[in-house]
Amino acid sequence: MEIERKYLIKSIPENLKDFPCRIIEQGYLNTDPVVRIRKDDNNFELTYKSKGLMVRKEYNLPLTKEAYEHLLRKIDGRLIKKRRYMIPLEGNLTIELDVFEGDLAPLILAEVEFSDEQSALSFTPPDWFGEDVTFSGKYHNSQLCRF
């Protein structure tokens, strides 16, 4: 189960380069239901996500590089490229700050995952977060992949 809140960002932390960063590219084989392939640094996976905005079922399956490259030719829409910074937050939470590249730049989104819905709903974001777009499907990557 994936329980997450999603936010637009008002300003990037000045010390962003101090945090671990992963290079991600992902494409969508289907958007209803969501079937995604992803290259995360040198790891490859296929993901299924159920319907939902804040709470969704998510299943991840490992892929070989060859399987990923084969499926990459079958994606529908744009290949999303982004840098994901992992920023620790109080309460054992982590901000996943996505800085999009290519034609999605200068979009920057933050996601925070939670262990339960109550924690997600009572979350107070840091001051540098902007609008809460959790309940807007517009900012799901499965929508951003569309031209």
Side-chain angles (χ1 to χ4, degrees), residues 5 7-11 13 87-90 93-97 110-112 114 123-132:
R5 299 281 299 271
Y7 298 85
L8 293 172
I9 296 302
K10 288 191 292 191
S11 61
I87 304 171
L89 196 58
E90 289 181 34
L93 297 174
T94 300
I95 298 167
E96 296 179 348
L97 185 69
E111 296 178 356
V112 181
F114 301 89
F123 176 68
T124 302
D127 291 340
W128 53 275
F129 278 29
E131 180 184 354
D132 181 345

Side-chain angles (χ1 to χ4, degrees), residues 7-21 83-89 94-99 106-112 125-130:
Y7 298 85
L8 293 172
I9 296 302
K10 288 191 292 191
S11 61
I12 298 175
E14 289 182 20
N15 61 340
L16 187 61
K17 300 292 182 198
D18 295 342
F19 299 104
C21 177
R83 294 182 176 273
R84 174 168 285 173
Y85 294 88
M86 306 300 286
I87 304 171
L89 196 58
T94 300
I95 298 167
E96 296 179 348
L97 185 69
D98 289 342
V99 179
L107 180 62
I108 302 172
L109 291 171
E111 296 178 356
V112 181
D127 291 340
W128 53 275
F129 278 29

Side-chain angles (χ1 to χ4, degrees), residues 24-141:
I24 295 175
E25 65 177 34
Q26 61 192 44
Y28 290 80
L29 302 172
N30 197 50
T31 57
D32 188 19
V34 171
V35 180
R36 173 189 78 201
I37 58 170
R38 174 184 277 177
K39 176 183 177 189
D40 187 339
D41 285 337
N42 291 312
N43 297 308
F44 305 90
E45 67 183 8
L46 181 135
T47 300
Y48 164 83
K49 291 188 178 196
S50 68
K51 291 183 185 271
L53 296 173
M54 186 178 77
V55 179
R56 301 192 289 176
K57 290 183 181 176
E58 178 178 288
Y59 302 96
N60 296 302
L61 301 166
L63 290 175
T64 63
K65 180 180 180 184
E66 294 75 24
Y68 173 81
E69 289 172 350
H70 174 77
L71 291 170
L72 190 57
R73 295 188 295 270
K74 301 177 183 319
I75 66 169
D76 188 17
R78 73 168 53 95
L79 180 66
I80 294 174
K81 296 183 179 186
K82 58 189 175 180
R83 294 182 176 273
R84 174 168 285 173
Y85 294 88
M86 306 300 286
I87 304 171
L89 196 58
E90 289 181 34
N92 294 323
L93 297 174
T94 300
I95 298 167
E96 296 179 348
L97 185 69
D98 289 342
V99 179
F100 289 82
E101 299 177 343
D103 61 346
L104 286 173
L107 180 62
I108 302 172
L109 291 171
E111 296 178 356
V112 181
E113 290 195 24
F114 301 89
S115 58
D116 59 74
E117 287 183 62
Q118 181 179 349
S119 299
L121 292 171
S122 64
F123 176 68
T124 302
D127 291 340
W128 53 275
F129 278 29
E131 180 184 354
D132 181 345
V133 294
T134 302
F135 298 101
S136 167
K138 177 180 176 181
Y139 292 99
H140 279 197
N141 286 298

